[in-house]
């Protein structure tokens, strides 16, 4: 619960920082500062709203800047690690104590600790919101986000292996509060996309000559229809995918075989010494079973079959 609360607070803060400039350019700036028509082709016919041009430029710049920041920070971490190891080796060489070559354990100890997955999830959610809400302005932003994330995934994977200390494995069911974040982004993108089409883009903005009353009516109807589609698709999507269900089923079968009630036959040679075999039933020459007892293997006659019942 503490982690989920922190996730939601960070998302609210970062979503305001990233989304507000685009919302301002699309819905507020035209009524406050005004937007001029820009001749994009130089023929005086094809004109584009300057606010839309600013949204396109800022979307492209956001993804490129983010990818560049990730690469630069990676280089900084590499240089920091190299400098720390170099300083340590020089200190050991001057003092003449021990070997200057790190063992695997020493190398892991010198690495910075893994900071957790919240920051990586936050970056992905912010990008998901930008793509979902403003792809109607710049459809190619989906391709830009795909290429950017493909590169970033490999960079982060290399960082986790070569730079960060090996984290302790911790079990977790699902992705926590990020599920609610994605649901919120789906609803927000449905409303924002409809608003961009009706109030910002042509022909609904001015070419059709629609009054504000009709625009608002169209927006309310279309927005409700889009939200209905979102909730309908969400209702058809199972909470657990078929692939995950199959994995869970296989794990349950393996758990039953390893920890459940399993009976097996063990051949024991006379004179065999070892630990006490718990919960065994002894049968000499037949299949008759006796109540479970603790039997030292050295007391079992040669050729005896032990039917072991392992209880979880």
């Amino acid at each position: 619960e503490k982690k989920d609360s922190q996730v939601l607070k960070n998302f609210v803060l970062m979503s305001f920082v990233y989304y507000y400039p685009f919302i301002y350019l699309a819905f507020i700036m035209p009524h406050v500062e005004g937007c001029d028509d820009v001749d994009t082709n130089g023929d005086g016919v094809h004109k584009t709203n300057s606010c839309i041009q600013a949204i396109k430029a800022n979307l492209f710049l956001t993804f490129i800047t983010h990818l560049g920041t990730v690469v630069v920070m990676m280089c900084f971490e590499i240089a920091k690690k190299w400098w720390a190891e170099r300083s340590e080796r020089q200190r050991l060489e001057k003092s003449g104590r021990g070997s200057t070559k790190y063992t695997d354990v020493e190398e892991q100890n010198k690495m910075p600790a893994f900071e957790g997955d919240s920051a990586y999830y936050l970056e992905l959610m912010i990008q998901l919101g930008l793509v979902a809400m403003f792809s109607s302005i710049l459809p190619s932003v989906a391709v830009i986000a795909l290429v950017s994330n493909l590169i970033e995934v490999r960079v982060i994977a290399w960082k986790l292996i070569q730079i960060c200390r090996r984290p302790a494995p911790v079990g977790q069911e699902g992705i926590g509060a990020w599920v609610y974040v994605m649901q919120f982004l789906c609803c927000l993108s449905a409303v924002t996309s409809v608003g961009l089409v009706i109030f910002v883009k042509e022909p609904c903005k001015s070419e059709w000559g629609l009054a504000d009353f009709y625009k608002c009516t169209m927006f309310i109807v279309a927005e409700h229809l889009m939200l209905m589609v979102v909730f309908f698709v969400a209702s058809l999507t199972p909470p657990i995918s078929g692939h995950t269900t199959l994995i869970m089923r296989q794990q349950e079968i393996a758990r039953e075989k390893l920890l459940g009630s399993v009976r097996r036959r063990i051949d024991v040679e006379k004179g065999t010494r070892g630990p006490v075999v718990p919960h065994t039933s002894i049968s000499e020459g037949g299949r008759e079973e006796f109540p479970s007892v603790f039997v030292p293997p050295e007391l079992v006659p040669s050729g005896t079959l032990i039917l072991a019942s392992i209880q979880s």
Side-chain angles (χ1 to χ4, degrees), residues 53-121:
Q53 288 295 107
I55 293 174
K56 292 180 179 180
N58 282 280
L59 280 174
F60 180 80
L61 186 62
T62 298
F63 283 96
I64 298 301
T65 303
H66 173 71
L67 180 60
T69 303
V70 171
V71 175
V72 170
M73 291 303 298
M74 171 66 67
C75 296
F76 174 76
E77 292 291 341
I78 294 174
K80 183 179 177 181
K81 177 186 175 184
W82 174 81
W83 181 261
E85 293 179 353
R86 177 177 177 273
S87 302
E88 183 75 13
R89 290 192 180 96
Q90 288 182 347
R91 184 178 63 83
L92 292 175
E93 289 176 356
K94 290 180 180 179
S95 61
R97 294 179 301 173
S99 174
T100 60
K101 185 178 180 180
Y102 282 160
T103 63
D104 292 340
V105 176
E106 291 174 334
E107 186 175 1
Q108 287 290 324
N109 185 55
K110 295 296 181 180
M111 291 181 176
F114 177 60
E115 64 273 16
D117 58 358
S118 297
Y120 301 112
Y121 268 111

Side-chain angles (χ1 to χ4, degrees), residues 4 31 41 90 93 129 152 160 177 192 219 228 234 245 274 279 303:
D4 291 345
H31 303 284
N41 294 336
Q90 288 182 347
E93 289 176 356
E152 184 178 356
L160 295 180
T192 305
F219 171 75
M228 289 176 60
T245 303
H279 302 293

Side-chain angles (χ1 to χ4, degrees), residues 132-133 185-195 222-223 226-227 230:
M133 288 190 289
L185 288 176
C186 289
C187 297
L188 182 62
S189 63
V191 177
T192 305
S193 299
V194 173
E223 170 257 339
M226 287 296 296
L227 288 178
V230 170

Side-chain angles (χ1 to χ4, degrees), residues 6-304:
Q6 184 179 4
V7 162
L8 293 177
K9 291 178 182 178
N10 291 337
F11 174 75
V12 170
L13 176 62
M14 296 305 295
S15 61
F16 179 81
V17 172
Y18 277 89
Y19 298 153
Y20 174 74
F22 295 97
I23 294 176
Y24 176 82
L25 287 172
F27 300 106
I28 301 176
M29 185 175 175
H31 303 284
V32 177
E33 303 179 22
C35 298
D36 301 327
D37 291 333
V38 179
D39 188 2
T40 54
N41 294 336
D43 54 5
V45 178
H46 299 85
K47 295 184 178 181
T48 305
N49 191 290
S50 60
C51 293
I52 295 180
Q53 288 295 107
I55 293 174
K56 292 180 179 180
N58 282 280
L59 280 174
F60 180 80
L61 186 62
T62 298
F63 283 96
I64 298 301
T65 303
H66 173 71
L67 180 60
T69 303
V70 171
V71 175
V72 170
M73 291 303 298
M74 171 66 67
C75 296
F76 174 76
E77 292 291 341
I78 294 174
K80 183 179 177 181
K81 177 186 175 184
W82 174 81
W83 181 261
E85 293 179 353
R86 177 177 177 273
S87 302
E88 183 75 13
R89 290 192 180 96
Q90 288 182 347
R91 184 178 63 83
L92 292 175
E93 289 176 356
K94 290 180 180 179
S95 61
R97 294 179 301 173
S99 174
T100 60
K101 185 178 180 180
Y102 282 160
T103 63
D104 292 340
V105 176
E106 291 174 334
E107 186 175 1
Q108 287 290 324
N109 185 55
K110 295 296 181 180
M111 291 181 176
F114 177 60
E115 64 273 16
D117 58 358
S118 297
Y120 301 112
Y121 268 111
L122 181 59
E123 294 176 358
L124 291 174
M125 294 302 163
I126 293 297
Q127 295 183 30
L128 173 64
L130 291 175
V131 173
M133 288 190 289
F134 301 102
S135 57
S136 59
I137 296 292
L138 183 64
S140 60
V141 71
V143 179
I144 297 174
L146 175 63
V147 175
S148 174
N149 280 280
L150 287 176
I151 298 175
E152 184 178 356
V153 163
R154 303 313 307 168
V155 171
I156 293 176
W158 191 87
K159 174 185 176 181
L160 295 180
I161 295 174
Q162 301 293 337
I163 302 298
C164 293
R165 187 185 308 164
R166 186 178 303 154
V170 178
Q172 181 174 332
E173 295 184 2
I175 59 176
W178 296 114
V179 174
Y180 306 109
V181 171
M182 287 191 289
Q183 293 174 352
F184 170 76
L185 288 176
C186 289
C187 297
L188 182 62
S189 63
V191 177
T192 305
S193 299
V194 173
L196 289 173
V197 172
I198 294 178
F199 296 108
V200 178
K201 298 185 67 177
E202 301 292 350
C204 292
K205 180 183 178 183
S206 60
E207 290 183 5
W208 286 357
L210 297 175
D212 293 339
F213 173 77
Y214 293 106
K215 289 182 181 179
C216 292
T217 304
M218 291 175 58
F219 171 75
I220 293 173
V221 173
E223 170 257 339
H224 277 69
L225 290 175
M226 287 296 296
L227 288 178
M228 289 176 60
V229 172
V230 170
F231 287 115
F232 177 73
V233 173
S235 64
L236 294 180
T237 305
I240 302 177
S241 65
H243 181 67
T244 304
T245 303
L246 181 60
I247 293 176
M248 294 175 63
R249 190 175 303 168
Q250 294 294 331
Q251 290 178 347
E252 185 65 27
I253 294 174
R255 187 182 300 111
E256 287 295 327
K257 290 183 177 180
L258 294 175
L259 303 177
S261 179
V262 181
R263 304 185 64 83
R264 57 180 179 174
R265 296 167 57 180
I266 305 175
D267 293 325
V268 180
E269 297 293 339
K270 184 177 181 180
T272 301
R273 305 187 61 85
V276 173
V277 181
H279 302 293
T280 59
S281 299
I282 302 176
S283 174
E284 295 188 7
R287 295 300 182 89
E288 182 180 358
E289 300 179 6
F290 294 89
S292 298
V293 293
F294 289 88
V295 180
E298 60 268 21
L299 300 181
V300 179
S302 177
T304 298

